[in-house]
Amino acid sequence: MSERLALRGPCLSFRAPPWREGAAALRFEPDALILLHEGRIVALDDHARLRAQVPDEMHVVHYDSNHLILPGFIDAHVHYPQVQMIASFGLRLIDWLKRYTFEVEQQYADPEHAAHEARVFLDECLRNGTTSACVFGTVHAHSVDALMREALSRDMRLFAGKVLMDRHAPPTLCDTADSGYADSRALITRWHGQGRLGYAITPRFAPTSSPRQLELAGQLAAEHPDCRIQTHIAETPEEVAWARELFPERKDYLDIYAHYGLLGPHTLLGHGIHLSDDELQRIATCGACVVHCPSSNLFLGSGLLDLGRLRQTTPSPAVALGSDVGAGTSLSLLRTLGDAYRIARLHGFALNALDGLYLATRAGAQALGIADRVGALEPGMEADMVVLDLCSTPLLAHRMRHCRDLEEALFAQMILADDRAIRATWVAGRCLYERADRVS
Ligand code: GUN
Ligand code: ZN
């Protein structure tokens, strides 16, 4: 039997969206004991209540009241090859892709480069409290092998896919409809269901795939209904116009993906800023999800997603949160939530901290179809957790002393905190990251 281990400290987790269910949506324990065994949470309750039932020799890692244990963050849209080009200057989406992204992604023809960058990416995820992600590789199949290998060695719950792209990109970055299908199928065989890994079929976006490539991607999705599908949609007005010009027979941008069998409950659609009400309703109806990438949208000047409008649309589409690095400027989902708040304000909408933290945890798990395993702290769930230090900077420490309640404290974190607030990151019951200055 593996060693019994427990975490003690304040903890917060969500059962449902707070904006829908209010206080019933969350569980806050000011002093919880979380018992772990074989990578899972086996019990969680108030420390005083649970402690009497566990053996004295159990190892307890204690985080004091200046901390908060949350489910690990889930980044539902991110490009690992773009970490090395984060913060590239001055262009909008399509020029940014041509000038920076396609230049850099060619370097992944070298498997050693891919392996190195996969390590950097996962280290950075853990340093930012992110325990799961849905990740774009490059067009090179081995870019996904490199990431999957590295994620497997850390036992992370991760989805990734090889980019499908057979036009409107440099020839060295293009596959063909047939090779993209064959490579993706081989990757699914190698990785889908290995450890905690899953495959995401990854047409980059409609403009860089021929109709035949989208058709074969849809065929692959039909043959592997358990795989996820990730792509981009309606990030900028120019891109929407381009997609419609390339697929004039389709009713709108969403209809391109729907027509080729790429729209369903396992589909994650990055951005979705410039979608019509009708498109949003169809996304909701089929159970797909919009991944809000606020940092990226601000950085490229792509537009401002109206979260309030999405919530008011009936039916309303599911929304998750993505860093979209390297158009996004941080792998910190706390920083990303700060950007989501600011964008919402420009629409007159206020994203509160509970709603925000739900987006960064359980909403991502729902979007990825893994909410029965991660995204919440409950007995039976896999023990992926992030421990926030609520006093990670002098300013935050000062602000915490003047907070009247939990929500006020969490909102200040959402606006002011970043990677420095990550005290520790736990994956499948093991501490894989601990901030270097730990003293106790
Ligand atoms: N649309 C197509 N490819 C990309 C990409 O790499 N990043 C972003 N932000 N949008 C895209
Ligand atoms: Zn993206």
Side-chain angles (χ1 to χ4, degrees):
M1 203 166 78
S2 61
E3 192 206 358
R4 292 268 173 168
L5 184 68
L7 269 60
R8 178 181 175 186
C11 90
L12 174 68
S13 170
F14 300 94
R15 298 181 166 127
W19 62 90
R20 220 175 273 150
E21 309 221 351
L26 54 122
R27 176 172 190 182
F28 174 63
E29 294 285 348
D31 184 13
L33 191 64
I34 306 174
L35 304 190
L36 310 182
H37 186 55
E38 294 182 341
R40 287 179 188 270
I41 296 170
V42 291
L44 187 161
D45 208 339
D46 174 60
H47 173 261
R49 221 175 358 244
L50 194 55
R51 189 70 183 98
Q53 299 171 30
V54 298
D56 287 343
E57 66 273 14
M58 188 176 53
H59 180 55
V60 179
V61 182
H62 189 179
Y63 298 104
D64 68 24
S65 60
N66 287 326
H67 295 87
L68 183 67
I69 305 168
L70 290 164
F73 294 139
I74 299 180
D75 188 340
H77 182 115
V78 59
H79 302 251
Y80 96 82
Q82 296 177 13
V83 171
Q84 66 177 92
M85 50 158 286
I86 193 169
S88 292
F89 179 72
L91 296 174
R92 281 177 68 80
L93 174 67
I94 292 163
D95 293 331
W96 175 88
L97 282 172
K98 289 184 194 153
R99 167 73 183 82
Y100 301 118
T101 316
F102 292 161
E103 281 299 310
V104 160
E105 291 191 4
Q106 293 181 56
Q107 295 176 24
Y108 290 73
D110 173 5
E112 278 182 26
H113 184 71
H116 178 263
E117 292 300 313
R119 279 192 295 277
V120 171
F121 169 70
L122 292 179
D123 285 349
E124 278 297 298
C125 283
L126 295 173
R127 227 175 47 72
N128 282 285
T130 295
T131 51
S132 280
C134 195
V135 189
F136 287 67
T138 62
V139 75
H140 314 94
H142 61 246
S143 73
V144 173
D145 287 319
L147 183 66
M148 294 294 207
R149 212 174 285 125
E150 195 60 38
L152 186 66
S153 77
R154 299 168 196 230
D155 202 11
M156 290 177 76
R157 189 163 281 293
L158 196 97
F159 290 87
K162 172 206 121 61
V163 161
L164 297 166
M165 175 160 71
D166 67 350
R167 64 174 173 172
H168 300 134
T172 52
L173 268 193
C174 285
D175 53 12
T176 65
D178 287 337
S179 76
Y181 170 85
D183 285 351
S184 303
R185 198 174 58 171
L187 285 165
I188 291 168
T189 307
R190 276 204 289 289
W191 297 112
H192 188 71
Q194 283 276 352
R196 304 175 76 205
L197 305 175
Y199 194 79
I201 297 165
T202 307
R204 177 169 219 125
F205 64 160
T208 49
S209 283
S210 63
R212 176 69 183 151
Q213 178 159 70
L214 294 182
E215 190 183 326
L216 285 183
Q219 185 181 316
L220 196 61
E223 289 162 355
H224 302 278
D226 192 39
C227 285
R228 287 20 172 200
I229 299 165
Q230 60 176 348
T231 189
H232 298 85
I233 194 167
E235 182 176 357
T236 68
E238 305 90 82
E239 169 219 356
V240 175
W242 192 22
R244 299 203 59 176
E245 190 185 304
L246 290 166
F247 295 88
E249 64 287 4
R250 303 274 58 93
K251 173 170 131 174
D252 49 30
Y253 199 160
L254 186 70
D255 188 42
I256 303 171
Y257 296 134
H259 175 78
Y260 291 107
L262 294 165
L263 190 65
H266 287 329
T267 305
L268 293 98
L269 298 162
H271 305 287
I273 302 168
H274 307 282
L275 292 169
S276 66
D277 288 349
D278 188 51
E279 288 175 296
L280 290 174
Q281 285 161 350
R282 278 148 49 212
I283 290 170
T285 304
C286 76
C289 128
V290 171
V291 186
H292 182 25
C293 304
S295 156
S296 162
N297 300 157
L298 288 171
F299 182 71
L300 294 180
S302 301
L304 307 170
L305 181 80
D306 188 349
L307 266 184
R309 169 178 166 240
L310 263 61
R311 266 194 213 168
Q312 278 157 15
T313 305
T314 319
S316 115
V319 180
L321 188 70
S323 68
D324 195 30
V325 161
T329 49
S330 174
L331 282 164
S332 164
L333 289 191
L334 292 170
R335 290 274 307 261
T336 307
L337 282 176
D339 287 335
Y341 176 80
R342 292 172 178 91
I343 287 183
R345 284 315 295 143
L346 292 170
H347 284 293
F349 179 73
L351 178 70
N352 70 49
L354 296 176
D355 289 354
L357 290 172
Y358 175 83
L359 276 182
T361 58
R362 193 167 166 84
Q366 296 274 11
L368 281 163
I370 50 175
D372 56 337
R373 296 163 192 206
V374 296
L377 305 178
E378 298 286 350
M381 301 291 272
E382 296 166 354
D384 286 358
M385 297 168 287
V386 55
V387 183
L388 295 191
D389 171 1
L390 301 179
C391 301
S392 60
T393 66
L395 178 61
L396 270 166
H398 182 63
R399 182 70 181 89
M400 289 304 103
R401 285 194 286 277
H402 296 275
C403 286
R404 284 159 302 185
D405 57 29
L406 176 71
E407 234 188 292
E408 193 175 327
L410 293 180
F411 182 69
Q413 299 296 323
M414 180 163 119
I415 299 305
L416 299 173
D418 53 28
D419 54 339
R420 291 169 291 180
I422 308 304
R423 169 72 180 272
T425 305
W426 291 73
V427 172
R430 288 188 304 149
C431 184
L432 291 197
Y433 168 73
E434 186 158 44
R435 210 177 56 199
D437 58 345
R438 182 171 177 190
V439 283
S440 60

